[in-house]
Amino acid sequence: MNIEVRESLIKEVKKRVSDSIDLKKDIADEEIKELITTIVFEISRQTYMSVSEKQDIIESVFNSMRRLDVLQPIIDDKSVTEIMINGPDCIFIERAGRSYQLDTRFESRQKLEDVIQSIVSKVNRTVNEASPIVDARLQDGSRVNVVLPPIALNGPIVTIRKFPETPMTVDQLVKYGSITEEVADILHRMVRAKYNIFVCGGTGSGKTTFLNALSNFIPSDERIITIEDSAELQIKGIPNIVRMETRNANTEGKGEITIRDLIKSSLRMRPERIVVGEVRGAEALDMLQAMNTGHDGSLSTGHANSTADMLSRLETMVLSGASLPLEAIRQQIASAIDVIIHLSRLRDKSRRTMEITEVIGYKDGEIQLNPLYVFKEEGETEDKKIIGSLKRTDSEMLHKLKFRMAGISDKV
């Protein structure tokens, strides 16, 4: 069956379904699907369709009327990790670290806009010409970013970052070569001993995945508060958990709840640990102050190309919301963060841990760093896969008091 015939059949089935029922009424999905199936089998008496073609038409019409149209089968495909929609006619996906363009397209720009409104409305978000940028999420936790015209010049832009149904564990990170078993054990002990850990890296380097894996080391009897722009973390096995998410302003510009608001509120909720999905702005100061005021064991992430770059970015973030001397900011950072983990996506598209560095203090106007593990590249395989792993440096870890206070081995 060629594309023109398929699209013509889909159009005919949708018209017959619309003529048969009032779509404004509350009709169950099962009833809609049954009606679509009946109509497809009626049409197949005049137009031959194989069993697989009938099934394809039924699913396509149902997805268009009740789910996310042509996007639904792509979202259902477990091998797809990222979906990039550049207008109604241009859809790219990422699979196994590589990007591909699909032949699939939306039937019109209006259909794509309808799908976008369906996504954002389910998480109480708004996106329109007046407010053309929004972050949202799907029901399965996938992260969604939408940019509409006139900001986006080539039509509505949607980027969906998918996450696995079951959260990534540290054992899997070891299996995939991101870290070694030795490092996994040290990180496990660091989280239990309540070291404040900051994960940094570029876009797509695996920060959220890594943060999720670390979070699952937190003892089950602690009270955890997670704070995110759009909820992505999948922390399991902790009954006393509070999950909070930001809220955009309404059409009148009121009602916005920022990460900064949530961090301030969380301090009055008796948290034992605060997990901030990502710091991007002035909320960095509130996060650092929380780490400095008895909320040890806090975890967070940020965008940066190196450990030193992350420190510079934190300084800039704090300065964007408070007029403090640079010296005071650097002292705050040095006393708040214990360990920085830097992740990167290498040229073979693999995600690796590049560095684990201890923050040892502030001296002579600079934050002092003590690299503990550094990624060493050892070569390439025939298919250009990078061979290498984290190697222990000669530097001894200096701040081991938290290990001893928690009664945990301080061997690093």
Side-chain angles (χ1 to χ4, degrees):
M1 184 186 296
N2 64 40
I3 294 173
E4 289 79 11
V5 172
R6 180 179 178 275
E7 289 185 354
S8 175
L9 286 170
I10 288 172
K11 198 171 181 180
E12 184 181 349
V13 174
K14 285 166 74 172
K15 184 178 185 307
R16 288 205 198 182
V17 173
S18 300
D19 291 344
S20 300
I21 57 173
D22 182 356
L23 293 174
K24 291 180 181 177
K25 290 183 179 177
D26 188 16
I27 300 168
D29 286 352
E30 293 77 11
E31 195 176 335
I32 291 273
K33 196 157 194 177
E34 193 175 321
L35 178 59
I36 294 168
T37 304
T38 302
I39 290 170
V40 168
F41 274 86
E42 283 176 5
I43 292 173
S44 69
R45 294 192 187 107
Q46 284 84 42
T47 306
Y48 173 76
M49 286 184 270
S50 67
V51 173
S52 61
E53 287 170 341
K54 288 176 190 172
Q55 188 62 37
D56 173 51
I57 299 290
I58 291 166
E59 289 296 328
S60 296
V61 174
F62 180 70
N63 287 339
S64 174
M65 301 185 83
R66 277 297 165 101
R67 298 176 83 190
L68 298 178
D69 198 43
V70 297
L71 204 51
Q72 194 63 51
I74 308 172
I75 288 169
D76 292 339
D77 185 344
K78 301 289 188 290
S79 67
V80 174
T81 52
E82 192 123 18
I83 305 166
M84 296 152 277
I85 302 166
N86 306 335
D89 303 322
C90 185
I91 301 176
F92 284 83
I93 61 165
E94 182 189 73
R95 183 185 280 126
R98 302 198 177 275
S99 294
Y100 307 89
Q101 185 170 4
L102 301 180
D103 294 331
T104 308
R105 60 185 294 277
F106 287 87
E107 65 181 52
S108 66
R109 175 168 162 168
Q110 183 59 51
K111 187 64 193 180
L112 172 54
E113 289 177 351
D114 290 345
V115 167
I116 289 169
Q117 294 303 331
S118 173
I119 291 171
V120 300
S121 64
K122 285 176 181 172
V123 288
N124 297 315
R125 299 284 167 104
T126 303
V127 64
N128 49 44
E129 281 195 9
S131 178
I133 301 174
V134 72
D135 288 313
R137 69 176 188 280
L138 300 180
Q139 287 179 317
D140 66 0
S142 299
R143 183 171 70 203
V144 182
N145 174 264
V146 176
V147 183
L148 294 183
I151 303 300
L153 302 182
N154 52 335
I157 309 299
V158 184
T159 311
I160 300 174
R161 171 74 57 82
K162 291 176 64 184
F163 296 97
E165 288 180 339
T166 54
M168 182 77 74
T169 64
V170 170
D171 289 340
Q172 287 172 297
L173 292 177
V174 172
K175 179 184 171 185
Y176 296 141
S178 177
I179 57 175
T180 63
E181 287 189 16
E182 176 189 355
V183 170
D185 174 64
I186 291 167
L187 292 177
H188 188 178
R189 287 186 283 118
M190 281 181 173
V191 173
R192 285 175 54 216
K194 292 197 169 185
Y195 280 85
N196 291 322
I197 299 175
F198 201 96
V199 181
C200 69
T203 301
S205 59
K207 297 183 298 297
T208 302
T209 299
F210 203 96
L211 181 65
N212 213 91
L214 287 181
S215 299
N216 287 293
F217 281 149
I218 296 171
S220 60
D221 60 348
E222 294 188 15
R223 177 170 170 80
I224 313 303
I225 294 180
T226 68
I227 297 168
E228 301 173 84
D229 261 335
S230 51
E232 299 166 16
L233 292 171
Q234 300 168 286
I235 301 176
K236 306 292 183 184
I238 297 178
N240 196 353
I241 184 168
V242 176
R243 303 174 72 227
M244 297 198 291
E245 183 180 65
T246 61
R247 185 176 72 188
N248 291 348
N250 61 19
T251 51
E252 297 170 353
K254 297 177 181 177
E256 181 183 20
I257 305 293
T258 65
I259 283 188
R260 192 164 197 183
D261 297 327
L262 294 178
I263 292 175
K264 288 176 180 176
S265 179
S266 72
L267 299 177
R268 296 188 287 272
M269 300 169 72
R270 199 197 160 274
E272 288 180 88
R273 295 182 195 242
I274 299 171
V275 180
V276 181
E278 184 179 332
V279 289
R280 297 176 184 163
E283 70 272 6
L285 177 60
D286 301 282
M287 184 202 69
L288 294 171
Q289 288 176 337
M291 289 178 168
N292 268 327
T293 53
H295 300 94
D296 283 342
S298 294
L299 308 170
S300 188
T301 76
H303 277 272
N305 294 322
S306 68
T307 303
D309 182 36
M310 190 68 248
L311 295 174
S312 298
R313 292 209 65 221
L314 280 171
E315 290 169 11
T316 306
M317 290 177 201
V318 173
L319 282 169
S320 70
S323 51
L324 293 171
L326 187 57
E327 182 180 5
I329 294 170
R330 287 179 176 171
Q331 286 176 337
Q332 281 265 25
I333 294 170
S335 59
I337 299 174
D338 297 311
V339 175
I340 299 178
I341 300 170
H342 177 234
L343 312 179
S344 185
R345 194 169 184 185
L346 303 183
R347 60 183 180 276
D348 65 352
K349 309 300 182 183
S350 64
R351 296 173 174 90
R352 301 293 185 96
T353 305
M354 303 305 291
E355 192 175 324
I356 299 176
T357 298
E358 179 188 18
V359 182
I360 55 176
Y362 176 79
K363 184 180 179 183
D364 299 330
E366 297 293 332
I367 298 170
Q368 304 296 305
L369 298 176
N370 179 31
L372 302 175
Y373 285 85
V374 176
F375 181 81
K376 299 287 185 185
E377 185 177 328
E378 296 162 359
E380 288 183 352
T381 62
E382 289 183 3
D383 57 350
K384 300 295 183 183
K385 295 290 183 185
I386 293 173
I387 302 169
S389 64
L390 282 172
K391 301 294 184 183
R392 185 72 173 88
T393 66
D394 295 330
S395 304
E396 181 69 21
M397 184 172 180
L398 300 182
H399 295 165
K400 296 185 176 182
L401 180 61
K402 287 186 178 180
F403 281 130
R404 293 193 284 271
M405 294 284 286
I408 294 171
S409 166
D410 63 0
K411 184 182 178 184
V412 176

